[in-house]
Amino acid sequence: MKLIPTTLAFASILALAGCAQEGAESTGATAAQETTAAAPAEQAPALPEGFFLAEAPANALTVSQARANAKAGDDIALTGYIGGRVEPFTEGRAIFLVADSEVAPACTDACAVPWDACCVPRDTIAANSATIQVLDADGKTLKVDLKGQNGLEPGAEVTVVGKVREANESLLIVDASGIAANGGGSATP
C-alpha cells in the first residue's frame, strides 16, 4: 500500500517540474517575441532644414509693434529678447517667450536673473511679449528643447520669422519658420 502514495507523490513532482519548465520556456519565448516585435527606437524630432537664419530680416517689428498690429494668419518678423520670466523656455518642447527689449527690457542691474525683467511690472511684460513655438508637419509643437541651440539662451536677442497663430489683447502666439540669433544679447549676467 505504501507503493501507491509514493508513486502518486513521484508523479506529482514530475508534473510540477514539467509545468515549471513549460512556464519558463513560454516566458522565454514571450520575452523573445516582445524583443523582436518591439518598434525601432524613435528618432528625436528635428527642426526644419534652414530653420536657423544666417541673418535677421530688415523689416522685423518689435514685439510691441507686432502685438499692436498682428492678426491671426499674418506672416510676421519680430525681434526681442528671450525672457520675460526666469525660465523662458518650455522643457522638452520647442516653445519660448520673447519680450520687447525697449518696453519691457531686461534688468541687468536690479535682478539676479536679468532676463526675467523683475524691475518691469508683470502686466507690462505680459502686454509686450510673445510666445514662439515650432510645429511639426502635423501642426503639433515639436518635442525638442530649443534652449542652447544655435545661440538660443535666456537673454539672447532674436528675430523670429513665422505666421501668427493667435493675436489678441491678451497674447500673441507665433508659429516660427525661422529664427536668427542677433548676437549674445545684453540681458545675460
Side-chain angles (χ1 to χ4, degrees), residues 94-96 131-135 141 146 165 173-177:
I95 301 174
F96 62 93
T131 300
I132 310 302
Q133 61 184 8
V134 183
L135 306 179
T141 307
L146 289 176
R165 170 159 302 268
I173 300 173
V174 176
D175 297 339
S177 57

Side-chain angles (χ1 to χ4, degrees), residues 156-177:
E157 291 281 336
V158 295
T159 299
V160 177
V161 177
K163 188 169 288 291
V164 176
R165 170 159 302 268
E166 191 170 344
N168 58 47
E169 62 282 342
S170 301
L171 56 91
L172 174 63
I173 300 173
V174 176
D175 297 339
S177 57

Side-chain angles (χ1 to χ4, degrees), residues 5-6 41 98 107 113-114 135-136 150 157 179 182:
T6 305
V98 174
C107 304
V113 179
L135 306 179
D136 63 16
N150 209 53
E157 291 281 336
I179 295 175
N182 303 343

Side-chain angles (χ1 to χ4, degrees), residues 34-156:
E34 289 173 358
T35 302
T36 305
E42 282 188 41
Q43 288 185 332
L47 293 169
E49 190 172 326
F51 181 75
F52 290 107
L53 307 174
E55 60 184 57
N59 63 342
L61 304 171
T62 66
V63 176
S64 299
Q65 291 168 333
R67 290 283 303 255
N69 300 307
K71 294 177 210 67
D74 286 353
D75 289 323
I76 194 166
L78 63 84
T79 189
Y81 69 96
I82 299 173
R85 60 181 176 208
V86 172
E87 185 48 65
F89 291 92
T90 300
E91 187 176 336
R93 301 283 181 188
I95 301 174
F96 62 93
L97 190 66
V98 174
D100 191 296
S101 301
E102 297 170 10
V103 181
C107 304
T108 55
D109 295 335
C111 304
V113 179
W115 57 82
D116 79 345
C118 72
C119 61
V120 178
R122 298 311 309 160
D123 59 337
T124 301
I125 295 169
N128 295 284
S129 62
T131 300
I132 310 302
Q133 61 184 8
V134 183
L135 306 179
D136 63 16
D138 297 326
K140 296 182 179 165
T141 307
L142 277 175
K143 293 179 182 179
V144 63
D145 282 320
L146 289 176
K147 184 177 182 179
Q149 291 199 39
N150 209 53
L152 299 183
E153 295 290 343

Side-chain angles (χ1 to χ4, degrees), residues 8-56:
L8 286 175
F10 186 73
S12 296
I13 291 172
L14 285 176
L16 289 175
C19 289
Q21 184 161 0
E22 181 182 327
E25 289 173 0
S26 67
T27 303
T30 303
Q33 289 169 344
E34 289 173 358
T35 302
T36 305
E42 282 188 41
Q43 288 185 332
L47 293 169
E49 190 172 326
F51 181 75
F52 290 107
L53 307 174
E55 60 184 57

